[in-house]
Structure formats: structure tokens, C-alpha cells
Amino acid sequence: MATLLRRTASRLVGSCIKNRFSVNPFYNQTTCAPHGRLRHLTPSISRNNHFTTSARKRASSNDPLLRVIEAEIGFAEQADDYNRVEETPSGFPFKMEDKPGTKIVTLTRDYQGESVIVEVHMTNLVTGDKGDDEDEEESDEEEEEDEDKPEKPKQSNVPLLVTLSKETGPSLEFRCTAFPDKIVIKDMWVTFPGDPSKDELAYEGPSFRVLDEKLRKAFHRYIEIRGITPGMINFLHEYMINKDSKEHLLWLKTLKNFVKS
């Protein structure tokens, strides 16, 4: 009887061991988990999660700069220069072209068969006692004046590049500085736009400041007849101040979009 009980117990233990390690189609032998649940036990690593985390970190690190840029945009929008519209004065002879994002405004007209093009650059604003170095050239045409006279305060000015062309032949270019009460020619060149190879080797002429005084005055009168007059400067001065404000605001918004993206 004892022998029979031992044999029965031995069979039961062997059966349990066999059943435990038998291949069950619904269980994984290594994890003893159903095959359908195996993928849920495996850690999931997503590339999207990695990029999302990186984007959040980048956005967080850019927050201080964005706040400063947004504050600057607010200050710029509170000023009224960026959206002020300057009316073109009556009798203004030029067609005006102003492209957003550029530093210049182009004026064009025809005068007795000549093409007159004026590039108006950003205004040089004088906000203190120390003016721009360019203003020093204003004294070139006043060398004959008494040296004992008190020095005139620096004035804001508008840089101009005037190009006079005909259908054929060379062109004349004048680099000017327009002050509230007068226009000063800084330099003059002879150019050959129709023949670039000749233009590179051409003798452009002496410095304007060394020309005879009568010749300098004659050239001033020459460009004045073509519409480059002190009367147009007040309008251009205000217009370019407004343009500078517009371009500054546009620049700030471009910076914000770049940093934010």
C-alpha cells in the first residue's frame, strides 16, 4: 500500500512538472504571459516623443527673448510714426516707389528726354551734440566763410543718389545730402551703364569739392531744374522717418516669427 501511494505521488508530481513546462500556444515560455499581451509589457520609445520634448525645451529657452521682442513690438506700435501717411505735396514731379523691407525709396521722372532717378536713403537723424561724420562735408562749400563764425549745430539729413541718363551715352551720378534748407552735392561721377567694360576703366573725374566754385554752383542749379530742390526735402524727411519706423516694426515681427518657430 505504501509503495502504491509513493508511485501515485510520483506520477502526480511528474505530471505537474510536465504540464508546467509544456508549450502552451497562449503563453510565452519566457514571460509566461499571453502572446497577445506581450507587446504591452515591452517599453514603448517613440521618436515623436523625443522631438516633442526637444521642442518644449527649445521653446522654454527662447521664452525670455520672445518676451523682450514682444515688448519692443508693443513700444513700436504705440508710436504713431509707423502708420502715419504723408501726403504728397502738390506739384511733386516724381513717381514714388516704396517697397517694404528695403532701405530706400525710388523717385523717377522724365525731363526733356532725360531719365531722372533719385534713390532716397534712410534719414540720418541727429539726436545729440555729436552728429554723423558725413555732415563734416557740408563745410566743403563754405571754406571761404569767416572762421570766427560760431559752428552751426548738426542737422538731420536725407542722403540722395541722383542719376541722370539719356537714351545713349554716359550718365551722371550725384551723391547728395539734403538738409532742411539746402541740398549739398558731395560727389559726382560719369558712368557708362550701356558698356560695363568701359565703365570699369572710365575716368570718373576729380572730387567734386576741388572743382571751381562757379562750376559747383552750376551743377547745383543743373539738378535743381530737374526737380532736386530743397522744397521737396521736408516731405522726404518726414516720409523716411515714417518708413524707418515701419521697417523697424517689420524687422521685429520677423525676428519674433523666427525665434518662435
Side-chain angles (χ1 to χ4, degrees), residues 75-249:
F75 294 144
E77 289 178 338
Q78 289 176 6
D80 60 353
D81 287 340
Y82 81 96
N83 61 357
R84 184 186 300 171
V85 178
E86 293 294 331
E87 295 184 2
T88 304
S90 61
F92 191 72
F94 293 96
K95 177 183 177 182
M96 179 178 293
E97 182 181 5
D98 182 1
K99 294 182 179 179
T102 63
K103 298 188 296 183
I104 65 173
V105 170
T106 303
L107 309 178
T108 58
R109 71 168 299 194
D110 291 328
Y111 177 81
Q112 296 184 358
E114 291 182 3
S115 171
V116 182
I117 301 175
V118 183
E119 292 183 0
V120 186
H121 293 253
M122 289 293 187
T123 304
N124 290 326
L125 294 176
V126 177
T127 57
D129 295 335
K130 188 175 182 180
D132 297 328
D133 292 338
E134 275 191 30
D135 296 344
E136 296 177 0
E137 297 182 15
E138 182 185 2
S139 61
D140 293 341
E141 298 181 0
E142 302 174 355
E143 295 176 354
E144 294 82 6
E145 293 186 1
D146 190 354
E147 295 180 358
D148 296 332
K149 288 184 179 181
E151 183 180 356
K152 293 182 180 180
K154 300 296 182 180
Q155 295 176 303
S156 298
N157 59 78
V158 181
L160 307 175
L161 179 62
V162 181
T163 303
L164 307 178
S165 305
K166 298 184 179 181
E167 292 184 1
T168 59
S171 299
L172 297 182
E173 291 188 1
F174 298 86
R175 183 172 66 91
C176 307
T177 300
F179 295 94
D181 56 347
K182 63 180 176 180
I183 297 175
V184 177
I185 297 177
K186 303 298 187 180
D187 263 313
M188 183 190 73
W189 303 277
V190 177
T191 62
F192 296 84
D195 190 351
S197 60
K198 186 176 182 180
D199 196 26
E200 293 177 358
L201 303 175
Y203 171 66
E204 297 176 339
S207 175
F208 189 80
R209 70 185 68 180
V210 303
L211 295 179
D212 181 77
E213 181 184 0
K214 292 182 180 181
L215 185 56
R216 294 202 306 267
K217 290 182 177 181
F219 272 120
H220 275 94
R221 179 58 180 164
Y222 185 77
I223 65 172
E224 184 176 341
I225 293 175
R226 284 153 180 79
I228 319 301
T229 64
M232 64 184 281
I233 298 307
N234 288 334
F235 163 70
L236 291 178
H237 185 272
E238 294 299 323
Y239 189 94
M240 296 308 291
I241 289 177
N242 298 346
K243 178 174 174 61
D244 182 75
S245 298
K246 292 178 184 177
E247 299 302 338
H248 178 66
L249 181 59

